[in-house]
mmCIF file of all heavy atoms in Angstrom:
data_model
loop_
_atom_site.group_PDB
_atom_site.id
_atom_site.type_symbol
_atom_site.label_atom_id
_atom_site.label_comp_id
_atom_site.label_asym_id
_atom_site.label_seq_id
_atom_site.Cartn_x
_atom_site.Cartn_y
_atom_site.Cartn_z
ATOM 1 N N ARG K 913 -18.561 5.215 17.244
ATOM 2 C CA ARG K 913 -19.762 4.620 17.846
ATOM 3 C C ARG K 913 -19.448 3.790 19.086
ATOM 4 O O ARG K 913 -20.358 3.263 19.720
ATOM 5 C CB ARG K 913 -20.475 3.728 16.824
ATOM 6 C CG ARG K 913 -21.049 4.489 15.656
ATOM 7 C CD ARG K 913 -21.805 3.569 14.723
ATOM 8 N NE ARG K 913 -22.437 4.290 13.640
ATOM 9 C CZ ARG K 913 -23.651 4.800 13.684
ATOM 10 N NH1 ARG K 913 -24.364 4.679 14.780
ATOM 11 N NH2 ARG K 913 -24.158 5.433 12.661
ATOM 12 N N LEU K 914 -18.170 3.666 19.425
ATOM 13 C CA LEU K 914 -17.782 2.836 20.558
ATOM 14 C C LEU K 914 -17.726 3.675 21.818
ATOM 15 O O LEU K 914 -17.364 4.845 21.791
ATOM 16 C CB LEU K 914 -16.436 2.172 20.299
ATOM 17 C CG LEU K 914 -16.325 1.267 19.073
ATOM 18 C CD1 LEU K 914 -14.909 0.731 18.938
ATOM 19 C CD2 LEU K 914 -17.331 0.129 19.143
ATOM 20 N N TYR K 915 -18.071 3.050 22.950
ATOM 21 C CA TYR K 915 -17.948 3.725 24.250
ATOM 22 C C TYR K 915 -17.418 2.711 25.249
ATOM 23 O O TYR K 915 -17.978 1.611 25.419
ATOM 24 C CB TYR K 915 -19.280 4.272 24.734
ATOM 25 C CG TYR K 915 -19.202 4.816 26.140
ATOM 26 C CD1 TYR K 915 -18.503 5.996 26.399
ATOM 27 C CD2 TYR K 915 -19.776 4.145 27.205
ATOM 28 C CE1 TYR K 915 -18.392 6.487 27.681
ATOM 29 C CE2 TYR K 915 -19.683 4.633 28.498
ATOM 30 C CZ TYR K 915 -18.990 5.817 28.725
ATOM 31 O OH TYR K 915 -18.880 6.276 29.998
ATOM 32 N N GLY K 916 -16.333 3.064 25.892
ATOM 33 C CA GLY K 916 -15.734 2.157 26.882
ATOM 34 C C GLY K 916 -15.005 0.999 26.268
ATOM 35 O O GLY K 916 -14.606 0.063 26.969
ATOM 36 N N VAL K 917 -14.818 0.999 24.954
ATOM 37 C CA VAL K 917 -14.117 -0.068 24.243
ATOM 38 C C VAL K 917 -13.166 0.580 23.236
ATOM 39 O O VAL K 917 -13.598 1.338 22.381
ATOM 40 C CB VAL K 917 -15.106 -1.003 23.479
ATOM 41 C CG1 VAL K 917 -14.339 -2.138 22.815
ATOM 42 C CG2 VAL K 917 -16.161 -1.545 24.409
ATOM 43 N N ALA K 918 -11.874 0.293 23.381
ATOM 44 C CA ALA K 918 -10.886 0.831 22.451
ATOM 45 C C ALA K 918 -10.720 -0.115 21.263
ATOM 46 O O ALA K 918 -10.854 -1.333 21.420
ATOM 47 C CB ALA K 918 -9.549 1.017 23.159
ATOM 48 N N PRO K 919 -10.453 0.412 20.062
ATOM 49 C CA PRO K 919 -10.282 -0.463 18.903
ATOM 50 C C PRO K 919 -9.159 -1.487 19.058
ATOM 51 O O PRO K 919 -9.217 -2.570 18.462
ATOM 52 C CB PRO K 919 -9.975 0.525 17.761
ATOM 53 C CG PRO K 919 -10.549 1.821 18.200
ATOM 54 C CD PRO K 919 -10.395 1.841 19.702
ATOM 55 N N ASP K 920 -8.122 -1.143 19.836
ATOM 56 C CA ASP K 920 -7.018 -2.073 20.028
ATOM 57 C C ASP K 920 -7.100 -2.831 21.336
ATOM 58 O O ASP K 920 -6.134 -3.489 21.744
ATOM 59 C CB ASP K 920 -5.692 -1.311 19.962
ATOM 60 C CG ASP K 920 -5.615 -0.187 20.992
ATOM 61 O OD1 ASP K 920 -6.636 0.087 21.656
ATOM 62 O OD2 ASP K 920 -4.530 0.416 21.118
ATOM 63 N N GLU K 921 -8.243 -2.766 22.009
ATOM 64 C CA GLU K 921 -8.427 -3.492 23.276
ATOM 65 C C GLU K 921 -8.536 -4.991 22.961
ATOM 66 O O GLU K 921 -9.350 -5.392 22.128
ATOM 67 C CB GLU K 921 -9.671 -2.956 23.974
ATOM 68 C CG GLU K 921 -9.881 -3.482 25.389
ATOM 69 C CD GLU K 921 -10.776 -4.716 25.364
ATOM 70 O OE1 GLU K 921 -11.525 -4.894 24.405
ATOM 71 O OE2 GLU K 921 -10.674 -5.496 26.320
ATOM 72 N N PRO K 922 -7.701 -5.848 23.583
ATOM 73 C CA PRO K 922 -7.592 -7.245 23.136
ATOM 74 C C PRO K 922 -8.763 -8.143 23.494
ATOM 75 O O PRO K 922 -8.961 -9.184 22.853
ATOM 76 C CB PRO K 922 -6.317 -7.725 23.849
ATOM 77 C CG PRO K 922 -6.226 -6.870 25.073
ATOM 78 C CD PRO K 922 -6.772 -5.533 24.680
ATOM 79 N N TRP K 923 -9.578 -7.765 24.478
ATOM 80 C CA TRP K 923 -10.593 -8.692 24.972
ATOM 81 C C TRP K 923 -11.570 -9.103 23.877
ATOM 82 O O TRP K 923 -11.921 -10.282 23.750
ATOM 83 C CB TRP K 923 -11.351 -8.061 26.143
ATOM 84 C CG TRP K 923 -12.136 -9.019 26.953
ATOM 85 C CD1 TRP K 923 -11.688 -9.777 27.995
ATOM 86 C CD2 TRP K 923 -13.524 -9.369 26.781
ATOM 87 N NE1 TRP K 923 -12.711 -10.559 28.493
ATOM 88 C CE2 TRP K 923 -13.836 -10.317 27.759
ATOM 89 C CE3 TRP K 923 -14.514 -8.954 25.906
ATOM 90 C CZ2 TRP K 923 -15.109 -10.867 27.880
ATOM 91 C CZ3 TRP K 923 -15.792 -9.491 26.015
ATOM 92 C CH2 TRP K 923 -16.069 -10.449 26.993
ATOM 93 N N SER K 924 -12.022 -8.170 23.057
ATOM 94 C CA SER K 924 -12.988 -8.475 21.999
ATOM 95 C C SER K 924 -12.377 -9.438 20.981
ATOM 96 O O SER K 924 -13.049 -10.353 20.482
ATOM 97 C CB SER K 924 -13.452 -7.206 21.303
ATOM 98 O OG SER K 924 -14.103 -6.332 22.212
ATOM 99 N N TYR K 925 -11.097 -9.250 20.669
ATOM 100 C CA TYR K 925 -10.427 -10.128 19.706
ATOM 101 C C TYR K 925 -10.275 -11.533 20.272
ATOM 102 O O TYR K 925 -10.455 -12.525 19.544
ATOM 103 C CB TYR K 925 -9.053 -9.554 19.345
ATOM 104 C CG TYR K 925 -9.120 -8.191 18.685
ATOM 105 C CD1 TYR K 925 -9.043 -7.015 19.443
ATOM 106 C CD2 TYR K 925 -9.257 -8.072 17.306
ATOM 107 C CE1 TYR K 925 -9.111 -5.781 18.843
ATOM 108 C CE2 TYR K 925 -9.312 -6.817 16.707
ATOM 109 C CZ TYR K 925 -9.242 -5.676 17.476
ATOM 110 O OH TYR K 925 -9.316 -4.448 16.881
ATOM 111 N N VAL K 926 -9.954 -11.618 21.553
ATOM 112 C CA VAL K 926 -9.789 -12.934 22.185
ATOM 113 C C VAL K 926 -11.121 -13.685 22.187
ATOM 114 O O VAL K 926 -11.177 -14.877 21.868
ATOM 115 C CB VAL K 926 -9.251 -12.762 23.630
ATOM 116 C CG1 VAL K 926 -9.289 -14.112 24.367
ATOM 117 C CG2 VAL K 926 -7.838 -12.225 23.602
ATOM 118 N N VAL K 927 -12.211 -12.997 22.544
ATOM 119 C CA VAL K 927 -13.527 -13.626 22.556
ATOM 120 C C VAL K 927 -13.917 -14.114 21.171
ATOM 121 O O VAL K 927 -14.392 -15.243 20.998
ATOM 122 C CB VAL K 927 -14.593 -12.645 23.112
ATOM 123 C CG1 VAL K 927 -15.998 -13.197 22.907
ATOM 124 C CG2 VAL K 927 -14.349 -12.386 24.589
ATOM 125 N N ALA K 928 -13.724 -13.262 20.158
ATOM 126 C CA ALA K 928 -14.088 -13.648 18.799
ATOM 127 C C ALA K 928 -13.254 -14.813 18.304
ATOM 128 O O ALA K 928 -13.773 -15.765 17.700
ATOM 129 C CB ALA K 928 -13.940 -12.450 17.861
ATOM 130 N N ALA K 929 -11.940 -14.768 18.569
ATOM 131 C CA ALA K 929 -11.061 -15.861 18.127
ATOM 132 C C ALA K 929 -11.419 -17.157 18.852
ATOM 133 O O ALA K 929 -11.431 -18.238 18.238
ATOM 134 C CB ALA K 929 -9.614 -15.489 18.375
ATOM 135 N N ALA K 930 -11.692 -17.069 20.147
ATOM 136 C CA ALA K 930 -12.071 -18.268 20.912
ATOM 137 C C ALA K 930 -13.374 -18.852 20.375
ATOM 138 O O ALA K 930 -13.530 -20.089 20.300
ATOM 139 C CB ALA K 930 -12.219 -17.905 22.391
ATOM 140 N N ALA K 931 -14.315 -17.982 19.993
ATOM 141 C CA ALA K 931 -15.577 -18.477 19.408
ATOM 142 C C ALA K 931 -15.303 -19.252 18.138
ATOM 143 O O ALA K 931 -15.916 -20.309 17.895
ATOM 144 C CB ALA K 931 -16.510 -17.307 19.138
ATOM 145 N N PHE K 932 -14.370 -18.789 17.333
ATOM 146 C CA PHE K 932 -14.068 -19.504 16.087
ATOM 147 C C PHE K 932 -13.333 -20.807 16.351
ATOM 148 O O PHE K 932 -13.536 -21.780 15.613
ATOM 149 C CB PHE K 932 -13.250 -18.601 15.147
ATOM 150 C CG PHE K 932 -14.088 -17.934 14.114
ATOM 151 C CD1 PHE K 932 -14.579 -16.679 14.331
ATOM 152 C CD2 PHE K 932 -14.432 -18.593 12.947
ATOM 153 C CE1 PHE K 932 -15.381 -16.061 13.397
ATOM 154 C CE2 PHE K 932 -15.221 -18.005 12.013
ATOM 155 C CZ PHE K 932 -15.711 -16.726 12.219
ATOM 156 N N VAL K 933 -12.497 -20.841 17.344
ATOM 157 C CA VAL K 933 -11.834 -22.094 17.694
ATOM 158 C C VAL K 933 -12.865 -23.155 18.102
ATOM 159 O O VAL K 933 -12.823 -24.304 17.680
ATOM 160 C CB VAL K 933 -10.803 -21.873 18.811
ATOM 161 C CG1 VAL K 933 -10.267 -23.211 19.335
ATOM 162 C CG2 VAL K 933 -9.649 -21.007 18.300
ATOM 163 N N VAL K 934 -13.831 -22.728 18.941
ATOM 164 C CA VAL K 934 -14.877 -23.650 19.377
ATOM 165 C C VAL K 934 -15.753 -24.082 18.196
ATOM 166 O O VAL K 934 -16.047 -25.275 18.025
ATOM 167 C CB VAL K 934 -15.751 -22.990 20.465
ATOM 168 C CG1 VAL K 934 -16.944 -23.869 20.810
ATOM 169 C CG2 VAL K 934 -14.917 -22.729 21.716
ATOM 170 N N ILE K 935 -16.150 -23.122 17.357
ATOM 171 C CA ILE K 935 -17.005 -23.438 16.216
ATOM 172 C C ILE K 935 -16.282 -24.354 15.238
ATOM 173 O O ILE K 935 -16.865 -25.308 14.706
ATOM 174 C CB ILE K 935 -17.449 -22.138 15.503
ATOM 175 C CG1 ILE K 935 -18.437 -21.384 16.385
ATOM 176 C CG2 ILE K 935 -18.082 -22.442 14.160
ATOM 177 C CD1 ILE K 935 -19.737 -22.112 16.634
ATOM 178 N N SER K 936 -14.999 -24.103 15.000
ATOM 179 C CA SER K 936 -14.237 -24.964 14.099
ATOM 180 C C SER K 936 -14.112 -26.370 14.638
ATOM 181 O O SER K 936 -14.199 -27.359 13.892
ATOM 182 C CB SER K 936 -12.856 -24.366 13.848
ATOM 183 O OG SER K 936 -12.098 -24.313 15.046
ATOM 184 N N GLY K 937 -13.945 -26.475 15.967
ATOM 185 C CA GLY K 937 -13.906 -27.805 16.564
ATOM 186 C C GLY K 937 -15.208 -28.565 16.403
ATOM 187 O O GLY K 937 -15.221 -29.771 16.082
ATOM 188 N N MET K 938 -16.333 -27.865 16.579
ATOM 189 C CA MET K 938 -17.641 -28.492 16.403
ATOM 190 C C MET K 938 -17.879 -28.872 14.937
ATOM 191 O O MET K 938 -18.431 -29.930 14.632
ATOM 192 C CB MET K 938 -18.726 -27.535 16.886
ATOM 193 C CG MET K 938 -18.685 -27.239 18.384
ATOM 194 S SD MET K 938 -19.856 -25.948 18.897
ATOM 195 C CE MET K 938 -21.404 -26.716 18.422
ATOM 196 N N ALA K 939 -17.449 -27.975 14.018
ATOM 197 C CA ALA K 939 -17.684 -28.233 12.605
ATOM 198 C C ALA K 939 -16.858 -29.414 12.103
ATOM 199 O O ALA K 939 -17.262 -30.108 11.147
ATOM 200 C CB ALA K 939 -17.350 -26.978 11.794
ATOM 201 N N CYS K 940 -15.705 -29.642 12.707
ATOM 202 C CA CYS K 940 -14.811 -30.703 12.233
ATOM 203 C C CYS K 940 -14.938 -32.000 13.027
ATOM 204 O O CYS K 940 -14.192 -32.957 12.775
ATOM 205 C CB CYS K 940 -13.363 -30.207 12.296
ATOM 206 S SG CYS K 940 -13.106 -28.718 11.327
#
């Protein structure tokens, strides 16, 4: 179902991880 996005492409992982770092900072 993906187009123009590879499963191992790092950008999506970086964005998701950064979102969790920000959310964890706000939650704590």
Side-chain angles (χ1 to χ4, degrees):
R913 294 183 176 271
L914 301 178
Y915 173 70
V917 183
D920 57 353
E921 188 267 337
W923 196 86
S924 298
Y925 298 92
V926 171
V927 170
F932 262 94
V933 171
V934 173
I935 290 296
S936 63
M938 295 173 61
C940 302

